[in-house]
Amino acid sequence: QQEDGLSADFLRHYCETLDLDMVAHLEIQVDTATQNLEVLGEHLQNLRHLKLRDSSVLSIRDFGTELRQLEVLWVGRCGLQDLGGVSSAFPQLREFYLPFNDVVDLSPLCGLEHLEVLDIEGNAISELEEVAALRSCPRLRELTLTGNTALRAADRGTILEMLPQLEMLDDVPAGEDPAEHAALSGGADLDEHDFDEDAAFLAELRTPGFASVRRKSRRREEVDEAFSAGGEDGGESSCSMESVEGPSGGAAGPPPPPP
């Protein structure tokens, strides 16, 4: 049974505002097995940036359809499997970060007309046809695809030819060679063992208690900074919160505001 831990009263208390319409950024930890995520859209109808950290969300449908203004969504390492309904849930989505999940099917992304940045590193994309489906995202300019077995079936040039709208693939500009880019940027050269290392890393990542991230792209760092800065320059409220452990050790929702 889902709990009502994400009540309007709690959000007002945590975000330190009586007007939830002013909240534009939110960072939160949730478990949709015990918490109703749909209420976020009911209470925070002007939310534009949402980051779920160390959460459990198996399906995009768990968000409901009230987050109509959301532009940036981060759901890394949430156990996400199903993207169905994403275009109706987030019609304004511009940046979608879902690294290290279990997504297989990318076809639901086809309806995201405003999508510009997509990070699907370390998912379960095994068919090149899934990548080809992203042709129907006309504004997509940055794609992070590394760590998916679909890359074994195609080289970088094939993917760029398949998605001519891309300006950046795996953090390397479309017109540059990855090895040369790494050398110029001071990074380590890429080699043929990268994919094997990624596979080993993903297996390690799914080990209980493992929570470190070996590789972090420049764009992800920018998103982290944006969430940290919140709405400081625009007069909008920003907040972050984590669920607390219940008696059984699972996420039991955030604590209620003090009386």
Side-chain angles (χ1 to χ4, degrees):
Q1 184 177 358
Q2 291 180 322
E3 302 170 352
D4 190 22
L6 305 177
S7 66
D9 286 341
F10 175 82
L11 292 172
R12 292 189 189 99
H13 170 77
Y14 192 87
C15 296
E16 300 180 347
T17 179
L18 294 176
D19 187 1
L20 292 181
D21 287 342
M22 293 294 293
V23 178
H25 298 73
L26 178 65
E27 182 174 344
I28 185 174
Q29 179 183 351
V30 299
D31 182 348
T32 56
T34 58
Q35 294 171 300
N36 181 8
L37 194 54
E38 291 187 30
V39 298
L40 284 182
E42 298 172 8
H43 302 320
L44 305 175
Q45 296 191 2
N46 290 323
L47 192 66
R48 296 205 306 271
H49 292 200
L50 175 59
K51 184 172 185 176
L52 300 187
R53 184 187 294 278
D54 300 323
S55 296
S56 177
V57 180
L58 300 184
S59 172
I60 288 295
R61 290 187 172 89
D62 291 335
F63 288 91
T65 57
E66 298 298 320
L67 291 168
R68 310 292 294 176
Q69 305 303 318
L70 198 70
E71 297 178 358
V72 178
L73 177 60
W74 178 291
V75 285
R77 298 192 300 277
C78 288
L80 186 64
Q81 301 174 7
D82 182 12
L83 300 181
V86 65
S87 59
S88 56
F90 314 120
Q92 302 301 320
L93 197 63
R94 295 186 297 103
E95 301 183 12
F96 194 9
Y97 302 89
L98 56 152
F100 307 111
N101 282 291
D102 298 302
V103 172
V104 175
D105 181 12
L106 297 180
S107 61
L109 298 174
C110 297
L112 293 175
E113 298 179 355
H114 303 285
L115 188 65
E116 299 177 4
V117 179
L118 177 63
D119 183 347
I120 50 175
E121 177 179 1
N123 274 267
I125 309 301
S126 60
E127 300 294 333
L128 200 56
E129 288 77 9
E130 297 297 330
V131 180
L134 298 176
R135 281 187 296 231
S136 59
C137 298
R139 299 187 183 183
L140 185 64
R141 54 185 175 79
E142 296 186 24
L143 174 64
T144 304
L145 188 61
T146 188
N148 287 274
T149 56
L151 285 181
R152 295 182 182 274
D155 58 21
R156 175 181 172 86
T158 299
I159 294 174
L160 289 172
E161 183 177 351
M162 184 182 300
L163 303 174
Q165 73 271 39
L166 289 184
E167 299 175 7
M168 188 85 68
L169 176 60
D170 293 331
D171 300 318
V172 179
E176 296 185 17
D177 177 83
E180 293 179 1
H181 178 81
L184 291 174
S185 62
D189 288 346
L190 299 177
D191 58 40
E192 65 272 16
H193 301 298
D194 279 349
F195 293 138
D196 293 333
E197 292 177 357
D198 284 336
F201 175 58
L202 292 175
E204 189 178 11
L205 184 67
R206 290 180 170 86
T207 302
F210 184 84
S212 65
V213 176
R214 182 192 63 191
R215 299 167 55 189
K216 190 171 186 181
S217 70
R218 171 186 55 81
R219 182 56 188 156
R220 289 185 198 161
E221 291 174 345
E222 292 173 356
V223 172
D224 276 340
E225 291 172 0
F227 275 100
S228 298
E232 293 177 359
D233 58 350
E236 297 167 324
S237 294
S238 173
C239 54
S240 63
M241 58 186 176
E242 296 183 355
S243 60
V244 297
E245 277 197 359
S248 62

